[in-house]
Amino acid sequence: MTARRLPHGGEIDRSRPLRFSFDGREIHGFDGDTLASALLASGERVLGRSFKYRRARGLFGAGVEEPNIYADVTDGDQFRVNQRVTTEAAANGLRLQSTNTSPTATGDRMGFIDAFSRFIPSAFYYKTFMWPNWHLFEPRIREMAGLGRLDTTKSGPIGDQINHFCDVVVVGAGPVGIAAAIMLAEAGQSVLLVDEGSRIGGSLLHRTAVIDDLTAAGWLAQASERLRDLGVQILSRTTAFGIYDHGLIGLNQKHVCGRPDTLWRVRPDQSVLATGAIDRPLPFAKNDLPGIMSAQAGLTYLRRYAVLPGQRIVVATNNNTGAEVAQAMAAAGAKVTLVTLRAEAEPLPGIALHAGRRIEGALGRREVAGVVLDDGTRIDADCVLVSGGFTPTIHLYAQAKGKLRWDDAMLAFVPGSSVEGVTVVGGAAGQFALAEAFHALPVALKLQAIVPITAGVPYAITPAWPDPGQKGRIWVDYQHDVTTKDIGLAARENFISVEHLKRYTTLGMATDQGKTSNLNGLALMGQITGRTIPEVGTTTYRPPFVPVPITSFGGPRGAELMNPVRRLALEVQHRAEGAIFGEYGGWLRPAHYGQNDAAIVAEAGMARRTVGLYDASPLGKIEVIGPDAAGFLDFIYYNTVSTLKAGGCRYGFILSENGIVYDDGVLVRLDDNRFIVSCSSSHVPGVHALLEEWRQDRFPDKRIHIHNATAETATIAVSGPLAVDVIKAAGVDAVLDDLSFPHMTTRWGAWGGIPLRLTRVSFTGDRSYEISIRQDLAADLWDALRDAARAAGGGPIGIEAVMILRAEKGFIVIGKDSDGMTRPMDLGVIGPLRNKKAEFLGKRSLLQDEAQRPDRNCLVGLQPADGAGPLPVGAHGIDQNGPALHSIGYITSSYPAVSTESPVALALIKRGAERHGEIIMLQHLGKTRMARITHPCTFDPDGDRLHA
Amino acid sequence: MQTFSCPFCGSRPEYEFHFGGDAGNERPEGFATVAAPVWAEYLHFRNNPKGDTQEVWLHMTCGELFVMDRNTVTMAAGPGQPILPPKVTP
Amino acid sequence: MTTTYSALSLLKEGFNGQKGWAKAWTSPEPKSRYDIVVVGGGGHGLATAYYLAKNHGIRNIAVIEKGWLGGGNTGRNTTIVRSNYFFPESVRLYDLSLKLYETLSRELNYNIMLSQRGMISLAHTPAEMEMSARVVNAMQINGTDAELYGPEDVRRVLPIYNFGQRSRYPALGGIWQGRAGTARHDAVAWGYARAASKLGVDIIQQCEVTDFIVEGGRCRGIRTNRGDIRADRVGLAVAGHSSVMAAKAGFRLPILSYALQACVSEPVKPVLNTVVVSPGTGTYASQSDKGEIVIGGGLDRMPSYGQRGNLPVLETVLSGLLEMFPAFRQLKLMRQWAGIVDVVPDSSPIIGESPLPGLFLNCGWGTGGFKAIPAGGTLLAHLLATGQHHDISRPFDLDRFARGRLIDEAAGSGIAH
């Protein structure tokens, strides 16, 4: 036991003790502890294992920079994987399992791997495991890799999301961020101040300062009050993880008490980044031993959580921030030695000083037991606090495409260009001394303000980069076990570009994303290759700044809230009829009304014998209105439209500009200046956009108005020999005799005084009427029609039955019986190509070599020619002539026999139009079938049943 | 999330918009005379510049096409302009 | 110097402090003249140089790279290899690639970690099952491996899929290709670079092409920020920037550049053993050997050369992932990025001579260029060496757009590739 909890001080509430378990051991802490501070206070040093060599590891950091210690956390019925212990609040009853240990951090069976480390340097896996092949080795390696283990029996929480607008987001509520927020709010800006900590204050929570003659705590209390008075919105436990296009900034907010995280999408005019800086490790042999910790982290544990990290502490540094740490540790009762590379360092009372010295190596096997200095001095220690200098946290700035500049005095990359809407202040801008940072604020924020007064010495630093000549194993990236030797190897093998260095050694690719390691790594690469640090450069900064729960991004979208299906106005009626629903073209529609598939055939047969009623509401009803509408539609349609008489209907195609059939449907001409484009249900938005595009692009000064009336109108189709009787019996007021209301016409009628439109078109081959009525009035009409149909021996039929009826007639469903190569000629509609003289959409493409090719796949019917049942959809026709087996097309629709002798199928078959009667071989999932090619229409070929 | 400015509706989020192609991609007229390569240029070949570009966009919620200057590297987007020149009253 | 990679050489170098390894590739100064110059030091460009040297015996070659090797889409993709295509032309192309991948580690003496753990393209509706059958039959007829999986098969290969009652995208089955899987993307670039360098190819990094040297209506080389480099033939393999280079050469391409995003989660112990793609959610995922869940999805909304991720598409992709795998709600996203891909109207590549004679194209791979690297290299090498199409590349010539003979996989299979 080396670290210990002090009897008083810190933010913890000693009146509220708590307990959780770590690797099965009980850990005691207090309310206000992080998992890390409680673990440290317990005296346990070895809390995890490194990713590759499985070396024993302890805490290095106290915040998001922590590279070493992660745990899988069970919290009641919730489970969270790979939790960074330094940023998670301790809570009663949690169960922690250290990640990547078998079975525990202290008793890891895989620890022996470190003994073989010399044979498995960076990227060794590219050089071996090739014989016999990688598959032999991979499963074992996969099992050894990974960190935590998901609980696959559980889901995780459903993330929360919120959009927010404000004038300014200030990221980081340290002293500089707070001062900036106050200045901006005083200037009248609406400000959102966010900080990833559990409370605002940043470095003031663990460092001493006198600001405006107040202590750090005193100033913080006063500033908090001022923020509140100014109405600054403060989000704690909130990390700004990314800046995206057009200034959007993404925040992830954690909550206490188990509530899932909230993703904030904030669109400010300005983002002020007061994100501070992170202390680097120092390079020396075995610098990864448990007990070696960042000096700032040590100070944080002492001041915020009252944990003294050791009894005999060496503070080692290359800058002038070590003195405060050493004094604080000594004041708390530790025996302290300060080792500083800065020769000019002044002695401090009660603290042994080694000025102008560096640590050569750490002593100890599993935990640190002391250090050896470069002059050979050995110092006994149970804790080494290191400070290699501050690295500004400029991730968000770099994500926003800010260019970095190397500051040779600060030994840091700092912002080097201005980025619109992004302002960097404080430590993130390389202003590591508070006075300097405060002083720079008004200029940076472009406003007049009174600056907080503080004293302090300027930051000073002496380079202490890893040296190619240094002896021993010196860690650069703790989590991924990248040592200076690995960087040397990368250089030797010519992986000297910084991106190659990263990828070859995996430097900075661990879950901490190299927050403590990257700069030391590229400094070393620079030295080896004779380049300066800015010449080596940095890798690209990518979001998120810290790992963010995927559920925050996913939010509540899931189940029925994901790509919601469209609902019919008559859904309640269909449900009452016992409909089984399916998704068709984005709509939830009745597939059939019985419990099983047998209902489908029964419904189809019923519709042929008497009458079938189906909901055709999703069919497009896009009105094209105006004196120039006919000319416009002549361009849109493959067919000629302007010759259609008022009250008439015409079946036609809309092609895409590359000649492919995009949609088919019936065009209705209500009067000279009014048309209804009735397109496929799944194509309504697409056809609407297409009509608008061409109207605005090609007919901008013509009098045409387009209105999509699909959703406001319900359509009920009545089909079958008894259709007229049923419509009459239901009380629809309309003239229905064949002479005044022939096939392919539309007429107005009424029902109970409500106007409705009847369109006599047929998708089934039987006499059919599509009755369109205001959707909010459709339910009663449906009930009346259903009752009348029932009385006539018919009733509702689902989409599946309709599919059979139309297939018997050879009517296609676009996208099912056509594919993305189908031209109108392939569907047997050749007339307009030959005869239509006017320009139309896609015309030129129909003259391409490909469109004119004689061996194209054409729509045909297919009947089984082998006595077996219906042909399988997706089966291909095959041709065994020629060098290799090849496909001659495929079945697109297939159904059991209902009105026909034989089961029906539709197919696209090569040269199909000229091959009616021919028998072809089909292949499906390795088996063959025989089928006869027929005309697509196999039922009532003369159309007698339409009574046209 | 980017925001684009529809000339009729103002600044709206990107998912309300649909990219419509290069501005000025004129449709070759006269199917009988347009050569295949010319038609293919119109159908498929694009400027695709790295940097400043002018494009046609559709604001799906209002149904209007408009022209927008955009930078394909910085993602900066200018205000949308109506396709039609303003009508001049004599 | 140790130049051969093996367990034995690792052992030897282990005792030698890893000090004896030779450079993976050399970095010579560019010469003023080569027989052939390949522009683009990604997978396709490096593979082209390697096959030119190996298959055609041409050694006086340079690969010219603006940045660093493999820094474009080769190093940004989701590492999936597969040949589950519909048209015979596509299957021939991608199966050639997969077959070359299957022996590549040993051929290059570089472990590219080809992991053929199979890929399932899910079907969520009866209609999608029918379409899947159409594709499976096409694949079998065209001579590559495919199976039509039913619901029980999906349970077997994806035990953590969302089989719940409220699942928006229930898994009825799908297309299974057992030989599909993943390979280590960087290793493919580095392996080809090392092998090409050994065969005498000059690999020139940090060299930006500023223009083409055109004489007598023919491409005679390139102008770069490191001087003019003349060559008899020039190959172009610069996915994402094909249009930019084409503009320098004076022609346009049927290409739009889009950002394609990808992301990885934090690493976890193995939970996902196959590659999975869902047409319903538009999300695809696999788990890397390191344990990260590697996730991809659809293109951004607007043409872009900005190699950075955007939020709306990411949110769509990740909500799709969570709908498929509810347990992934426990996971955190570690890194997101984007690559710039060449999007072609028919989503098939363009391989062939460009409108500027002497300049040959390898572009238009859309979202799937990585899996095609060995084939793309083989075919461009064949073109550059002989001036003639290989049988497999002929259908992918640029002339297909004027002829209207597109090879549109989505059109045939209903599945976007």
Side-chain angles (χ1 to χ4, degrees):
Chain A
M1 298 281 274
T2 52
R4 65 182 170 91
R5 182 86 73 176
L6 301 176
H8 40 73
E11 299 167 13
I12 49 169
D13 183 350
R14 287 180 177 76
S15 69
R16 299 177 68 185
L18 53 81
R19 281 187 301 183
F20 60 90
S21 75
F22 179 85
D23 280 355
R25 294 191 317 276
E26 192 164 279
I27 306 291
H28 296 258
F30 296 104
D31 198 50
D33 261 325
T34 61
L35 292 172
S37 63
L39 285 166
L40 189 68
S42 78
E44 198 57 64
R45 274 283 178 75
V46 178
L47 299 170
R49 292 279 163 166
S50 63
F51 188 80
K52 186 175 173 188
Y53 298 145
R54 302 290 277 254
R55 284 174 62 87
R57 286 290 162 78
L59 289 163
F60 178 80
V64 293
E65 75 284 5
E66 171 60 26
N68 288 337
I69 307 304
Y70 291 76
D72 293 349
V73 177
T74 306
D75 179 7
D77 60 351
Q78 283 196 25
F79 180 78
R80 300 192 292 276
V81 75
N82 290 349
Q83 295 297 298
R84 192 191 307 106
V85 297
T86 52
T87 51
E88 298 301 306
N92 241 331
L94 302 180
R95 277 186 292 128
L96 275 61
Q97 163 69 45
S98 57
T99 59
N100 206 32
T101 60
S102 37
T104 63
T106 44
D108 181 38
R109 281 193 302 268
M110 303 302 288
F112 71 90
I113 290 176
D114 192 40
F116 297 91
S117 59
R118 63 160 64 178
F119 303 109
I120 50 173
S122 278
F124 75 99
Y125 31 80
Y126 298 131
K127 293 174 176 152
T128 182
F129 303 134
M130 288 176 271
W131 191 270
N133 65 44
W134 173 239
H135 294 144
L136 185 68
F137 306 94
E138 189 189 24
R140 182 108 185 91
I141 286 172
R142 282 173 81 82
E143 189 51 48
M144 283 176 60
L147 288 179
R149 195 176 289 280
L150 285 187
D151 182 345
T152 55
T153 65
K154 288 195 175 82
S155 176
I158 306 286
D160 191 12
Q161 299 183 330
I162 194 165
N163 293 325
H164 186 75
F165 296 84
C166 59
D167 295 332
V168 189
V169 171
V170 178
V171 181
V176 181
I178 290 172
I182 290 174
M183 290 177 191
L184 289 159
E186 285 175 342
Q189 306 272 290
S190 66
V191 180
L192 178 68
L193 175 63
V194 303
D195 193 277
E196 62 198 2
S198 57
R199 59 177 66 194
I200 66 167
S203 63
L204 289 185
L205 298 173
H206 66 269
R207 295 185 67 176
T208 45
V210 176
I211 308 172
D212 291 343
D213 293 329
L214 297 168
T215 62
W219 186 82
L220 204 49
Q222 191 187 59
S224 298
E225 204 163 311
R226 186 71 186 137
L227 289 168
R228 195 165 53 239
D229 289 347
L230 288 164
V232 171
Q233 188 175 357
I234 299 171
L235 298 177
S236 58
R237 300 184 194 277
T238 302
T239 305
F241 60 81
I243 286 193
Y244 297 91
D245 292 331
H246 295 187
L248 185 83
I249 184 161
L251 315 176
N252 188 68
Q253 181 185 23
K254 282 196 278 195
H255 304 279
V256 287
C257 305
R259 184 181 150 197
D261 293 8
T262 304
L263 180 92
W264 291 64
R265 301 182 203 96
V266 186
R267 193 176 294 286
D269 292 337
Q270 192 190 2
S271 292
V272 174
L273 308 179
T275 41
I278 290 171
D279 208 356
R280 294 187 289 272
L282 282 170
F284 53 83
K286 294 205 287 185
N287 58 345
D288 72 325
L289 285 178
I292 298 174
M293 185 185 280
S294 145
Q296 290 300 312
L299 198 56
T300 301
Y301 287 117
L302 177 68
R303 291 237 171 97
R304 295 191 64 183
Y305 307 104
V307 183
L308 182 61
Q311 308 306 315
R312 291 157 287 125
I313 299 176
V314 170
V315 176
T317 179
N318 65 339
N319 60 71
N320 60 353
T321 62
E324 181 189 356
V325 180
Q327 285 171 303
M329 297 296 154
K335 177 171 179 284
V336 179
T337 307
L338 178 61
V339 177
T340 173
L341 198 52
R342 298 185 63 75
E344 63 273 36
E346 309 253 333
L348 300 163
I351 293 167
L353 177 69
H354 296 262
R357 294 286 155 221
R358 70 166 85 223
I359 297 178
E360 191 77 41
L363 301 168
R365 235 173 57 78
R366 232 166 83 112
E367 300 180 19
V368 70
V371 294
V372 181
L373 305 189
D374 52 352
D375 61 358
T377 310
R378 293 169 76 94
I379 305 169
D380 182 35
D382 60 2
C383 173
V384 179
L385 299 178
V386 296
S387 170
F390 286 118
T391 300
T393 304
I394 37 66
H395 298 64
L396 294 177
Y397 166 81
Q399 284 178 27
K401 298 278 178 196
K403 296 270 180 296
L404 301 178
R405 175 178 67 80
W406 178 253
D407 186 323
D408 240 345
M410 298 286 129
L411 300 184
F413 280 109
V414 295
S417 67
S418 67
V419 177
E420 200 188 326
V422 177
T423 308
V424 189
V425 298
Q431 299 151 5
F432 299 132
L434 201 47
E436 171 198 17
F438 280 148
H439 185 73
L441 270 181
V443 172
L445 300 176
K446 298 190 182 73
L447 44 75
Q448 305 271 316
I450 296 162
V451 169
I453 307 292
T454 183
V457 288
Y459 176 78
I461 182 167
T462 305
W465 305 117
D467 186 311
Q470 265 177 294
K471 295 274 184 292
R473 297 171 74 193
I474 300 156
W475 268 259
V476 178
D477 185 314
Y478 288 127
Q479 189 180 127
H480 267 178
D481 279 322
V482 180
T483 66
T484 53
K485 288 198 172 82
D486 292 310
I487 291 167
L489 176 66
R492 200 169 300 128
E493 299 192 274
N494 208 11
F495 291 86
I496 60 172
S497 145
V498 66
E499 290 283 356
H500 284 158
L501 168 67
K502 165 184 143 182
R503 288 154 181 267
Y504 197 62
T505 63
T506 73
L507 170 71
M509 293 182 79
T511 57
D512 62 328
Q513 296 280 288
K515 290 185 177 62
T516 57
S517 63
N518 280 343
L519 197 56
N520 280 342
L522 55 94
L524 177 58
M525 177 55 86
Q527 291 189 54
I528 297 172
T529 55
R531 292 176 293 171
T532 63
I533 291 173
E535 280 170 350
V536 176
T538 67
T539 56
T540 310
Y541 288 81
R542 304 212 176 275
F545 170 62
V546 293
V548 171
I550 292 180
T551 189
S552 290
F553 293 102
R557 277 166 294 190
E560 56 281 331
L561 295 182
M562 167 164 280
N563 302 334
V565 288
R566 299 191 69 181
R567 305 275 187 162
L568 297 167
L570 296 173
E571 182 173 329
V572 174
Q573 280 65 33
H574 299 311
R575 291 210 182 273
E577 294 291 326
I580 303 296
F581 285 83
E583 187 182 343
Y584 297 89
W587 287 80
L588 202 60
R589 304 180 72 175
H592 51 85
Y593 290 85
Q595 278 306 310
N596 56 50
D597 288 1
I600 298 168
V601 170
E603 285 171 15
M606 174 183 75
R608 283 273 184 255
R609 284 190 310 276
T610 56
V611 69
L613 205 63
Y614 65 92
D615 191 337
S617 302
L619 268 183
K621 290 168 281 275
I622 302 173
E623 300 196 17
V624 181
I625 305 161
D628 298 318
F632 169 63
L633 290 172
D634 266 345
F635 175 75
I636 295 293
Y637 271 84
Y638 174 59
N639 320 67
T640 302
V641 166
S642 49
T643 54
L644 183 62
K645 291 193 172 53
C649 305
R650 185 166 292 168
Y651 175 77
F653 293 138
I654 298 175
L655 312 184
S656 60
E657 191 72 298
N658 53 11
I660 308 299
V661 179
Y662 174 65
D663 197 57
D664 71 337
V666 171
L667 182 72
V668 179
R669 187 168 201 170
L670 291 177
D671 58 43
D672 280 353
N673 296 343
R674 194 165 172 207
F675 295 82
I676 297 176
V677 173
S678 119
C679 49
S680 314
S681 49
S682 60
H683 278 165
V684 175
V687 170
H688 186 206
L690 177 147
L691 292 171
E692 275 296 347
E693 180 185 344
W694 287 106
R695 178 187 71 77
Q696 294 173 45
D697 187 63
R698 195 180 171 88
F699 299 86
D701 49 357
K702 300 290 185 191
R703 289 171 298 170
I704 304 159
H705 178 71
I706 295 165
H707 171 67
N708 180 6
T710 305
E712 56 203 58
T713 318
T715 301
I716 303 164
V718 186
S719 169
L722 304 181
V724 170
D725 304 334
V726 165
I727 294 169
K728 280 183 184 157
V732 173
D733 179 15
V735 180
L736 293 167
D737 68 279
D738 287 345
L739 205 60
S740 44
F741 189 2
H743 184 57
M744 295 307 276
T745 59
T746 193
R747 297 290 181 263
W748 289 96
W751 186 74
I754 304 156
L756 48 71
R757 185 168 54 78
L758 298 100
T759 302
R760 189 171 165 193
V761 292
S762 177
F763 193 43
T764 60
D766 280 312
R767 173 197 289 278
S768 296
Y769 300 84
E770 292 177 357
I771 307 176
S772 295
I773 188 168
R774 257 174 62 185
Q775 59 90 9
D776 56 328
L777 304 173
D780 289 346
L781 175 63
W782 168 268
D783 286 345
L785 285 166
R786 179 206 53 207
D787 291 347
R790 286 257 193 266
I797 63 173
I799 297 303
E800 294 298 333
V802 176
M803 286 292 123
I804 297 179
L805 300 175
R806 64 91 202 176
E808 291 175 341
K809 289 295 294 180
F811 295 151
I812 60 163
V813 172
I814 291 290
K816 178 172 171 62
D817 302 301
S818 70
D819 61 27
M821 295 161 290
T822 306
R823 274 82 169 176
M825 306 85 85
D826 306 333
L827 301 171
V829 186
I830 299 162
L833 175 63
R834 289 202 185 132
N835 306 324
K836 186 172 172 180
K837 296 285 177 265
E839 184 76 84
F840 60 86
L841 204 50
K843 166 81 188 213
R844 175 62 186 83
S845 292
L846 297 181
L847 306 174
Q848 287 171 325
D849 297 349
E850 174 63 15
Q852 295 291 324
R853 194 160 51 85
D855 59 347
R856 300 186 50 77
N857 286 358
C858 305
L859 181 72
V860 295
L862 281 184
Q863 288 177 344
D866 51 9
L871 299 165
V873 179
H876 282 245
I878 50 171
D879 184 348
Q880 289 162 307
N881 299 318
L885 182 69
H886 59 274
S887 164
I888 56 164
Y890 33 86
I891 298 183
T892 59
S893 291
S894 177
Y895 305 96
V898 174
S899 328
T900 51
E901 297 252 316
S902 163
V904 294
L906 297 176
L908 290 167
I909 296 291
K910 193 171 178 177
R911 294 181 187 272
E914 57 198 61
R915 296 170 70 177
H916 293 177
E918 202 176 303
I919 290 180
I920 58 169
M921 185 180 279
L922 301 169
Q923 181 170 321
H924 181 65
L925 305 180
K927 297 199 171 68
T928 53
R929 295 284 305 267
M930 303 302 288
R932 175 177 288 106
I933 300 178
T934 68
H935 190 278
C937 175
T938 48
F939 176 69
D940 187 28
D942 298 329
D944 295 336
R945 296 171 67 96
L946 290 170
H947 301 279
Chain B
M1 178 88 68
Q2 302 182 25
T3 53
F4 298 140
S5 185
C6 168
F8 309 98
C9 309
S11 181
R12 304 292 305 163
E14 63 172 78
Y15 50 72
E16 291 185 5
F17 295 87
H18 178 74
F19 172 63
D22 293 328
N25 183 25
E26 294 286 332
R27 185 177 195 269
E29 296 298 329
F31 52 82
T33 53
V34 174
V38 174
W39 185 248
E41 277 282 320
Y42 156 71
L43 272 186
H44 300 305
F45 288 71
R46 298 293 175 256
N47 300 332
N48 197 27
K50 182 176 186 175
D52 290 331
T53 181
Q54 193 176 53
E55 299 164 336
V56 175
W57 283 76
L58 172 69
H59 188 207
M60 294 184 288
T61 45
C62 76
E64 292 293 328
L65 293 176
F66 61 93
V67 174
M68 184 163 71
D69 289 326
R70 210 170 62 83
N71 186 295
T72 59
V73 179
T74 66
M75 299 295 131
Q81 306 289 341
I83 283 191
L84 266 179
K87 279 233 162 66
V88 184
T89 357
Chain C
M1 280 283 142
T2 305
T3 54
T4 303
Y5 294 165
S6 68
L8 201 65
S9 60
L10 265 175
L11 193 68
K12 187 186 93 184
E13 284 298 330
F15 289 113
N16 185 29
Q18 307 289 341
K19 291 211 162 44
W21 294 110
K23 285 185 176 182
W25 57 81
T26 56
S27 299
E29 283 301 308
K31 296 190 283 189
S32 60
R33 199 190 175 290
Y34 290 93
D35 293 345
I36 293 173
V37 162
V38 180
V39 181
H44 282 273
L46 293 165
T48 300
Y50 168 73
Y51 290 115
L52 273 169
K54 173 176 167 271
N55 295 351
H56 303 280
I58 302 171
R59 303 293 171 95
N60 187 24
I61 308 167
V63 176
I64 305 296
E65 167 56 43
K66 178 174 68 171
W68 38 281
L69 295 187
N73 294 336
T74 302
R76 295 166 189 266
N77 65 83
T78 50
T79 78
I80 298 166
V81 295
R82 59 189 175 86
S83 66
N84 48 354
Y85 282 78
F86 185 76
F87 291 112
E89 296 89 339
S90 307
V91 171
R92 275 200 294 275
L93 172 69
Y94 292 106
D95 223 36
L96 167 68
S97 214
L98 191 48
K99 286 193 179 110
L100 289 167
Y101 261 133
E102 282 168 334
T103 55
L104 198 58
S105 288
R106 273 186 270 160
E107 178 176 345
L108 299 180
N109 180 229
Y110 207 95
N111 184 6
I112 62 153
M113 301 182 197
L114 177 71
S115 175
Q116 292 173 292
R117 282 173 292 118
M119 166 168 176
I120 176 90
S121 309
L122 291 171
H124 304 299
T125 64
E128 285 174 12
M129 276 303 283
E130 292 178 353
M131 212 55 101
S132 298
R134 187 194 287 184
V135 176
V136 166
N137 287 327
M139 288 169 66
Q140 290 179 348
I141 290 166
N142 292 327
T144 192
D145 66 308
E147 282 177 71
L148 185 67
Y149 266 17
E152 291 312 310
D153 300 309
V154 178
R155 273 181 195 276
R156 182 165 45 77
V157 296
L158 291 179
I160 62 167
Y161 193 81
N162 178 5
F163 297 104
Q165 282 294 313
R166 287 177 63 205
S167 172
R168 177 68 180 87
Y169 292 106
L172 305 190
I175 304 160
W176 173 258
Q177 189 178 37
R179 284 163 66 233
T182 58
R184 174 78 197 146
H185 54 4
D186 290 331
V188 172
W190 300 339
Y192 273 120
R194 174 168 164 267
S197 185
K198 267 188 176 177
L199 291 173
V201 172
D202 279 3
I203 294 171
I204 320 283
Q205 299 183 79
Q206 305 292 332
C207 181
E208 184 168 1
V209 175
T210 54
D211 206 349
F212 293 92
I213 301 170
V214 180
E215 287 168 6
R218 213 186 141 75
C219 182
R220 301 285 181 186
I222 54 174
R223 302 193 193 284
T224 80
N225 60 348
R226 291 167 70 175
D228 287 4
I229 302 173
R230 301 186 70 85
D232 299 334
R233 290 195 174 112
V234 176
L236 202 56
V238 293
H241 285 71
S242 306
S243 298
V244 176
M245 298 307 289
K248 291 185 198 298
F251 56 91
R252 299 201 301 171
L253 289 169
I255 287 177
L256 283 171
S257 294
Y258 277 87
L260 178 69
Q261 294 196 52
C263 53
V264 293
S265 75
E266 291 185 329
V268 286
K269 297 292 179 192
V271 288
L272 181 61
N273 200 42
T274 66
V275 181
V276 56
V277 58
S278 151
T281 64
T283 302
Y284 49 90
S286 65
Q287 186 171 18
S288 73
D289 287 333
K290 220 171 102 189
E292 301 149 336
I293 308 297
V294 184
I295 307 151
L299 298 170
D300 278 8
R301 193 165 286 274
M302 66 293 292
S304 162
Y305 286 92
Q307 290 177 320
R308 56 187 279 193
N310 196 357
L311 263 189
V313 172
L314 183 73
E315 290 182 18
T316 305
V317 169
L318 293 178
S319 60
L321 179 80
L322 298 178
E323 181 62 11
M324 293 158 72
F325 303 106
F328 287 176
R329 286 196 186 270
Q330 298 163 14
L331 272 177
K332 292 197 284 293
L333 184 82
M334 187 165 77
R335 196 162 53 239
Q336 71 171 122
W337 66 93
I340 303 303
V341 299
D342 290 348
V343 175
V344 180
D346 61 356
S347 305
S348 285
I350 298 166
I351 307 169
E353 192 159 14
S354 80
L356 176 63
L359 179 64
F360 294 81
L361 301 171
N362 164 326
C363 60
W365 294 98
T367 62
F370 175 70
K371 65 175 162 303
I373 284 172
T378 301
L379 298 174
L380 183 59
H382 188 275
L383 266 165
L384 286 167
T386 66
Q388 304 292 319
H389 265 296
H390 189 287
D391 278 350
I392 293 177
S393 65
R394 173 91 271 282
F396 296 95
D397 194 275
L398 189 60
D399 69 3
R400 73 179 188 269
F401 295 94
R403 294 164 61 221
R405 190 164 177 70
L406 305 191
I407 306 169
D408 190 344
E409 282 288 322
S413 66
I415 294 168
H417 279 267

